[in-house]
Amino acid sequence: MTAVVTANGLSKRFKNTVALDGASFQIAAGRIVGLIGPNGAGKTTALKAILGLTTFDGQLSVLGLDPRKDRNKLMEQVCFIADVAVLPRWLRVRDAVDFVANTHPRFDRAKCDAFLARTKLQPQQKVKQLSKGMIVQLHLALVMSIDAKLLVLDEPTLGLDILYRKQFYQSLLEDYFDEEKTILVTTHQVEEIEHILTDLMFIRDGKIVLDTDMDSLGERFSEVLVNAEMAAAARELKPLDERQVFGKSIFLFDNVSRPQLERLGEVRRPSIGDLFVATMKGTYA
Amino acid sequence: MKSFYWLVKREFWEHKGGFFWAPIVTGIVGLVLNVMMVITAEVMGRRYAGTNTHFHSNFDRAFDSKDLVAAGSVLDMTLYGVTFLLLGVMAIVVFFYCLGSLYDDRRDRSILFWKSLPLSDTGTVLSKAASAVVLAPVIAVVVGVIVGLVLVGFLAIVATFHGIPAWRLLMEAHPFRVVGTLIALLPLYAIWALPTLGWLMLCSAWARSKPFLWAIALPVGAGIIVSWFGLMGIFNRSTGWFWTNVVGRLLGSLVPGGWVGQNNELVIMPGHDDPASVLNALDLSYHYSALANPSLWVGAVAGIAMIAGAIWFRRWRDDS
């Protein structure tokens, strides 16, 4: 396994808060990793550290480089979309393509033109005339035409309607992602990326509290639909979480053997959303 | 180098209004005002004094005494004057450009887009500095010369109505020498402007908000404190020295020709009735004697240091 990102004891303090508290993780090549956490858990700080946009303590290697020292070199291999609407409002579509084509050594202009041809974007339009969804289409077209090893997405679909959101992830999967590339994405819209992720990381209070690939996630966590009479037995197995639906209880278990659970009721794979809610209980309390 | 070219081009795209259209509009407005003034003067002159009017005292005197050199220098002065007017407008544009140069994209977060490209912060900051003290003045000079030549041509045509032959008058002008002088002064201008450029860009890169207030308040506040407590007495300097050489240089060095009058006190400016000798006194060697002025070099070093500071803040300021 070649690690694209290796973080060891990543820490960052602001004046009165701890953004990262000794976070350690590894991201392998050819994966799509979701970094999920509540507001203020340190997601964006972790991404900024990876992108060399902020100072931090601890060890961090991205593609073998230290983002603090070798940022210029690193950015030839790393791309990022930091939420929608960061394209400057005065920029024209045509000029944006020209600029990236002439400053980025790994940019493929033909590819970009092909992506743009699929949209309603006009070359002479300025960003300020575009809707939020169209700005993302432009940004995505630019980024997907760059042959980068690591793509970092920080809330890339925030504020977009569902058509643009679906299209965004679909384009990424169909036209961009391959085993040479790695995508690291944070979002609150967990359900939408659930089926495209290969790996999942939960971050809470600056620490990585869950780091697993999606296959073992299904083996490790189970959700059981239990009738009222079996509920007491289920509680003895120390569930992570319990909630009530239509007179039945739904229990979430971590590392309990499947035959044991099947005796209690119907077993299924938990959604990331439910797992997230269970893991983050009490965060804002 | 290719990246640098595109970085400067980016600045031009973003600030086309200030760098390109502002001098053109100012030039056209200046031209129209001048033409209107001349026409009004002609009409009024004819109404009250009949046809025997004076067009321009310098022209008349020149032709009366066969001293055409003086008439030619009036045309040269016109060319200089128009260009300096445009350079003045450019100085205002560039002042605000510098203040926003490293701040605006942090405020609207588009810095995150620029920083996603493999562009060094050094290259970015230097491209903005070059846009301010090279690109903008060059555009202003080019536009100024074109507008100035049109105005000179117009004056020559009007002069024919007063019996002054246009071609003989124009032959006395030195447009090439004027343009050459203006171009030769551009490097001096860039060096002279460094302290203000560096200071404004440093504030722009450093301030978390309101770079304009910081940029003005810090030097002016320092000046007031120095004046109040008479601190300059320690160095045997007057308070005025601080205002001129520190506050003035930090905030006012973008003014075109700011070095004039600070250079060589042995050069005595002739009265303005003798334009030819004024122009002769203000020749290139006079301007470049500013290189012997310590204020120029101390300011340049301070400016470069502040630009280096701006690069550092550009790299590490983390608030978007």
Side-chain angles (χ1 to χ4, degrees):
Chain A
M1 183 182 94
T2 48
V4 174
V5 181
T6 313
N8 235 324
L10 218 53
S11 297
K12 166 99 187 170
R13 298 185 64 87
F14 292 110
K15 258 173 222 152
N16 36 25
T17 48
V18 180
L20 286 173
D21 187 10
S24 301
F25 55 89
Q26 272 205 342
I27 296 171
R31 315 294 291 184
I32 303 181
V33 184
L35 180 65
I36 318 283
N39 292 336
K43 294 185 303 272
T44 300
T45 309
L47 297 191
K48 275 191 171 172
I50 290 172
L51 296 166
L53 292 175
T54 188
T55 54
F56 55 85
D57 297 319
Q59 288 168 330
L60 178 62
S61 147
V62 182
L63 298 164
L65 299 167
D66 184 333
R68 284 169 292 197
K69 291 193 205 114
D70 300 314
R71 181 160 199 283
N72 299 337
K73 216 164 134 199
L74 185 65
M75 291 319 291
E76 286 184 19
Q77 307 278 351
V78 179
C79 243
F80 70 96
I81 299 184
D83 122 22
V84 290
V86 300
L87 292 185
R89 290 170 52 73
W90 50 266
L91 192 64
R92 286 180 198 281
V93 172
R94 168 182 71 213
D95 294 343
V97 178
D98 271 350
F99 186 83
V100 181
N102 284 288
T103 52
H104 205 303
R106 302 172 74 87
F107 182 80
D108 181 343
R109 193 183 189 119
K111 238 180 178 174
C112 188
D113 290 340
F115 289 136
L116 288 176
R118 283 195 242 153
T119 67
K120 285 188 180 160
L121 293 161
Q122 299 297 316
Q124 76 288 353
Q125 274 178 309
K126 283 189 178 179
V127 168
K128 65 176 157 210
Q129 300 165 322
L130 304 176
S131 74
K132 230 174 177 185
M134 291 166 89
I135 298 176
V136 169
Q137 284 181 327
L138 172 59
H139 204 164
L140 191 64
L142 291 171
V143 162
M144 290 206 308
S145 314
I146 293 170
D147 182 27
K149 291 213 172 87
L150 174 64
L151 173 61
V152 176
L153 304 170
D154 187 8
E155 293 286 359
T157 56
L158 199 70
L160 298 187
D161 70 34
I162 189 157
L163 297 174
Y164 280 121
R165 293 205 301 263
K166 290 270 179 211
Q167 190 196 39
F168 181 90
Y169 289 113
Q170 203 175 345
S171 309
L172 268 187
L173 272 190
E174 288 175 5
D175 303 318
Y176 180 75
F177 183 69
D178 59 42
E179 64 277 7
E180 301 281 297
K181 297 192 164 75
T182 307
I183 299 178
L184 175 60
V185 53
T186 75
T187 178
H188 289 299
Q189 275 135 352
V190 196
E191 323 80 52
E192 273 167 30
I193 57 163
E194 182 155 14
H195 55 281
I196 71 164
L197 294 183
T198 64
D199 292 81
L200 182 63
M201 284 196 278
F202 281 176
I203 184 167
R204 181 178 177 173
D205 300 329
K207 292 191 185 72
I208 303 292
V209 292
L210 176 77
D211 184 359
T212 174
D213 63 84
M214 292 302 278
D215 297 332
S216 38
L217 182 84
E219 288 159 22
R220 190 176 145 185
F221 294 96
S222 327
E223 203 174 62
V224 191
L225 203 62
V226 183
N227 285 322
E229 60 270 25
M230 300 291 280
R235 274 182 207 116
E236 272 170 26
L237 293 172
K238 298 203 173 80
L240 281 178
D241 186 41
E242 174 184 350
R243 63 204 156 95
Q244 313 291 328
V245 180
F246 304 128
K248 290 189 171 185
S249 297
I250 299 178
F251 290 92
L252 184 67
F253 291 101
D254 180 5
N255 265 334
V256 179
S257 76
R258 204 169 169 96
Q260 213 174 352
L261 295 177
E262 272 164 358
R263 280 200 293 275
L264 296 168
E266 186 192 333
V267 179
R268 57 187 190 196
R269 181 197 170 111
S271 74
I272 295 183
D274 292 333
L275 193 59
F276 179 75
V277 172
T279 315
M280 301 297 164
K281 249 190 307 186
T283 305
Y284 299 131
Chain B
M1 213 48 227
K2 189 176 154 209
S3 287
F4 193 79
Y5 167 78
W6 282 91
L7 281 167
V8 173
K9 200 162 176 168
R10 172 185 84 176
E11 297 306 310
F12 183 71
W13 284 336
E14 183 178 359
H15 298 279
K16 205 170 177 179
F19 286 171
F20 184 69
W21 292 113
I24 288 186
V25 170
T26 316
I28 291 173
V29 169
L31 200 57
V32 168
L33 283 179
N34 267 294
V35 169
M36 277 166 58
M37 253 158 53
V38 170
I39 290 174
T40 314
E42 291 288 301
V43 171
M44 300 294 268
R46 264 161 218 270
R47 185 169 299 166
Y48 295 108
T51 47
N52 186 21
T53 53
H54 296 285
F55 171 47
H56 192 300
S57 55
N58 273 311
F59 286 171
D60 287 346
R61 204 174 321 135
F63 277 90
D64 289 346
S65 62
K66 308 281 178 241
D67 183 12
L68 287 172
V69 179
S73 355
V74 171
L75 296 182
D76 290 353
M77 286 276 231
T78 307
L79 206 44
Y80 276 122
V82 170
T83 310
F84 268 88
L85 170 76
L86 293 200
L87 281 169
V89 171
M90 177 226 65
I92 297 169
V93 168
V94 166
F95 186 91
F96 288 99
Y97 164 77
C98 290
L99 274 177
S101 61
L102 300 168
Y103 172 74
D104 288 349
D105 58 0
R106 287 191 293 137
R107 193 187 48 191
D108 71 10
R109 309 208 322 132
S110 61
I111 186 175
L112 290 173
F113 173 65
W114 303 119
K115 283 223 174 188
S116 77
L117 297 167
L119 301 166
S120 70
D121 296 296
T122 310
T124 303
V125 172
L126 292 184
S127 76
K128 286 167 190 274
S131 304
V133 293
V134 180
L135 179 68
V138 167
I139 294 175
V141 165
V142 170
V143 176
V145 166
I146 293 171
V147 173
L149 289 176
V150 173
L151 189 58
V152 164
F154 174 75
L155 289 180
I157 291 169
V158 175
T160 56
F161 292 108
H162 297 268
I164 300 171
W167 282 113
R168 272 186 69 200
L169 185 59
L170 284 177
M171 291 309 282
E172 290 301 324
H174 314 88
F176 291 108
R177 195 167 76 191
V178 173
V179 172
T181 306
L182 286 168
I183 292 171
L185 286 179
L186 286 173
L188 181 64
Y189 176 75
I191 300 173
W192 180 260
L194 277 172
T196 300
L197 175 78
W199 170 246
L200 296 178
M201 288 185 81
L202 181 66
C203 288
S204 184
W206 161 78
R208 286 193 197 277
S209 66
K210 303 189 179 57
F212 176 79
L213 275 187
W214 286 110
I216 303 289
L218 289 179
V220 171
I224 290 171
I225 290 173
V226 166
S227 311
W228 196 273
F229 295 106
L231 287 180
M232 291 319 283
I234 301 166
F235 307 105
N236 276 327
R237 301 267 187 191
S238 69
T239 300
W241 185 93
F242 185 85
W243 284 97
T244 314
N245 288 289
V246 179
V247 184
R249 288 286 271 139
L250 280 180
L251 294 176
S253 302
L254 287 169
V255 175
W259 56 85
V260 172
Q262 294 203 22
N263 295 0
N264 192 342
E265 277 144 28
L266 292 176
V267 176
I268 297 155
M269 286 294 139
H272 88 282
D273 266 359
D274 189 1
S277 36
V278 172
L279 283 186
N280 275 336
L282 280 174
D283 63 357
L284 267 185
S285 63
Y286 168 78
H287 286 300
Y288 271 88
S289 70
L291 292 181
N293 184 346
S295 170
L296 180 117
W297 293 110
V298 174
V301 170
I304 290 167
M306 288 186 284
I307 290 172
I311 293 172
W312 189 87
F313 279 116
R314 180 73 175 180
R315 173 69 182 90
W316 292 112
R317 203 47 144 176
D318 169 28
D319 52 5
S320 39

